[in-house]
Amino acid sequence: MHELAITQALIGLVKEHAEKVGAKKVERINVVVGELSGFVGQSVEFYFDQMSAGTIMEDAKLSFKTIPMAGRCRDCSKEFDIKEMDWTCPSCKGSSIELVRGNELFVESIEVD
Amino acid sequence: MEIKVLKDILSANDQIAQENRQLLDSNGVFTVNVMSSPGAGKTSLILETIRRLKGAVQIGVIEGDISSSIDAETIGKEGVPVIQINTGGECHLDASMTYRALSNLPLQDIELLFIENVGNLICTAEFAIGAHKNLVISSTPEGFDKPLKYPLMFTVADIVLINKIDLLPHVNFDTDAYKKTVKNLNESVEIFEVSCTTGQGIDRWLSWLQNQLRNR
Ligand SMILES: Nc1nc2c(ncn2[C@@H]2O[C@H](COP(=O)(O)OP(=O)(O)O)[C@@H](O)[C@H]2O)c(=O)[nH]1
Ligand SMILES: [Mg+2]
Ligand SMILES: [Zn+2]
């Protein structure tokens, strides 16, 4: 799927930020991934191992923090986790729900040497 | 040493998408990114629109496909400029692929550009390409629960078409339930019901388009 494109973009972004501080080595990359982003961590790891070989981030540890989907009820303003795609407000049973979390896909930080 | 980055992984793509948008704006090209599952009717809708607006609006098309060029050939027969992008296995168009296609189109002669994205309801929603409007097509045989299975796609949509309404008597598609689900995910989206086969509902879609073109 699109994990190859994501991995390429990830490597570009990490490289830019590591070079900016004159790092010699990237040891860890902390990525935040929303549950909705349709992102398969294992296959990003697979591509990353190949594509990072010989770069500043070779052998870096990829860490993924998953953010569960959450919605806010437009009727009663309750915020709740959306489980198994059940878009119903647990408080008032309303179904007009705004997505407030779950589509994240960003690099939170990198640990460098 | 830990360095905060806090940057979207796809920010480089978003940047190029913005440049595409500027290029389109400076040429006055109103652009629609057409997304759906395979077979929902993207090519059929583009063809029907070209046929109806021929002579009135100058149209161009970018066809995204994983590997074939059948759709581009069909559209080329209508005599409009069309560029085929083969994504080489990628399941979506991205902004730089789109940029390369834009550079090969006579943009100054185009008023309305359709970009047929790869048939896929997941990844295409994540990669901005610079279009002015995101159009999502659902077709009645797909069932009416797609919006709940692929909510991201419906949250990025500006307009949703329910296609193949001629098949409603034969399929299990609850139009009201579908519309309610989509509106719940995305309050401001507009929803039209059409059939590219019988032409039913196409007039409303065309008047929406012409309205957009006037306000371009
Ligand atoms: N019955 C019916 N079939 C349609 C309609 N629109 C498209 N189709 C058929 O659906 C199939 C897929 O359409 P196509 O436009 O190629 O879908 P795409 O993959 O999204 O580009 C073709 O066989 C079309 O003839 C419609 O409104 N009604
Ligand atoms: Mg097609
Ligand atoms: Zn509620």
Side-chain angles (χ1 to χ4, degrees):
Chain A
M1 296 295 264
H2 63 301
E3 277 70 18
L4 177 61
I6 300 265
T7 311
Q8 264 161 351
L10 173 70
I11 288 178
L13 188 62
V14 170
K15 184 165 179 283
E16 178 196 328
H17 283 262
E19 281 173 357
K20 215 158 45 188
V21 295
K24 287 197 290 295
K25 190 141 185 45
V26 178
E27 315 223 301
R28 189 183 171 93
I29 303 169
N30 296 309
V31 179
V32 175
V33 184
E35 207 181 359
L36 238 190
S37 69
F39 167 100
V40 185
Q42 261 183 355
S43 86
V44 171
E45 272 170 356
F46 171 80
Y47 288 124
F48 184 82
D49 283 348
Q50 301 182 359
M51 295 166 64
S52 65
T55 74
I56 188 175
M57 64 201 85
E58 179 165 5
D59 297 328
K61 167 108 183 69
L62 275 181
S63 141
F64 301 114
K65 183 161 92 191
T66 306
I67 309 281
M69 275 168 69
R72 184 188 298 113
C73 175
R74 290 200 185 89
D75 297 325
C76 74
S77 301
K78 175 154 182 79
E79 256 191 51
F80 61 96
D81 283 352
I82 298 168
K83 294 203 184 84
E84 289 167 9
M85 292 294 176
D86 180 2
W87 293 70
T88 317
C89 171
S91 168
C92 74
K93 305 292 168 213
S95 60
S96 182
I97 310 298
E98 181 188 353
L99 183 73
V100 291
R101 275 190 301 283
N103 60 358
E104 298 78 2
L105 185 57
F106 65 93
V107 178
E108 186 164 46
S109 64
I110 55 178
E111 288 161 38
V112 300
D113 210 12
Chain B
M1 176 178 52
E2 181 168 7
I3 303 165
K4 285 274 163 230
V5 177
L6 295 177
K7 270 199 100 174
D8 219 279
I9 292 183
L10 296 177
S11 52
N13 183 72
D14 293 344
Q15 177 65 40
I16 301 170
Q18 271 176 29
E19 291 164 18
N20 288 348
R21 172 70 74 86
Q22 280 161 13
L23 179 65
L24 292 165
D25 282 341
S26 65
N27 284 282
V29 183
F30 178 72
T31 304
V32 183
N33 177 11
V34 187
M35 296 176 283
S36 80
S37 323
K42 297 179 294 300
T43 309
S44 305
L45 181 81
I46 294 169
L47 278 172
E48 185 63 16
T49 308
I50 292 171
R51 288 173 188 149
R52 300 274 202 118
L53 295 181
K54 205 170 255 176
V57 179
Q58 288 186 293
I59 302 182
V61 179
I62 295 175
E63 274 294 324
D65 209 302
I66 291 181
S67 61
S68 89
S69 60
I70 303 167
D71 288 350
E73 285 160 22
T74 316
I75 286 170
K77 290 195 188 117
E78 298 295 320
V80 301
V82 50
I83 298 285
Q84 164 79 37
I85 305 180
N86 279 335
T87 61
E90 288 286 350
C91 48
H92 58 272
L93 293 180
D94 67 24
S96 61
M97 295 175 203
T98 305
Y99 176 75
R100 285 196 294 277
L102 291 176
S103 332
N104 286 307
L105 276 171
L107 292 180
Q108 58 296 340
D109 300 334
I110 295 174
E111 296 166 284
L112 170 61
L113 176 66
F114 288 111
I115 303 182
E116 178 172 342
N117 216 313
V118 179
N120 177 333
L121 283 178
I122 306 174
C123 324
T124 49
E126 296 201 44
F127 289 80
I129 57 176
H132 296 92
K133 296 287 176 189
N134 287 327
L135 164 64
V136 178
I137 305 178
S138 281
S139 63
T140 57
E142 293 173 70
F144 58 93
D145 59 352
K146 280 275 154 77
L148 287 182
K149 289 189 184 147
Y150 304 101
L152 188 62
M153 175 57 77
F154 289 86
T155 60
V156 304
D158 299 295
I159 169 163
V160 169
L161 294 189
I162 305 173
N163 186 32
K164 309 195 187 180
I165 54 170
D166 56 296
L167 299 179
L168 276 174
H170 313 289
V171 297
N172 173 28
F173 189 91
D174 183 337
T175 309
D176 290 338
Y178 174 91
K179 284 186 175 169
K180 186 158 182 281
T181 314
V182 173
K183 282 281 184 187
N184 284 341
L185 289 170
N186 184 340
E187 267 182 317
S188 59
V189 77
E190 298 200 59
I191 308 176
F192 299 145
E193 299 165 45
V194 300
S195 166
C196 293
T197 304
T198 66
Q200 202 185 340
I202 295 288
D203 283 341
R204 271 192 72 202
W205 149 248
L206 294 180
S207 61
W208 179 87
L209 257 183
Q210 284 180 309
N211 210 12
Q212 299 292 322
L213 286 167
R214 268 194 297 277
N215 301 328
R216 157 172 63 125

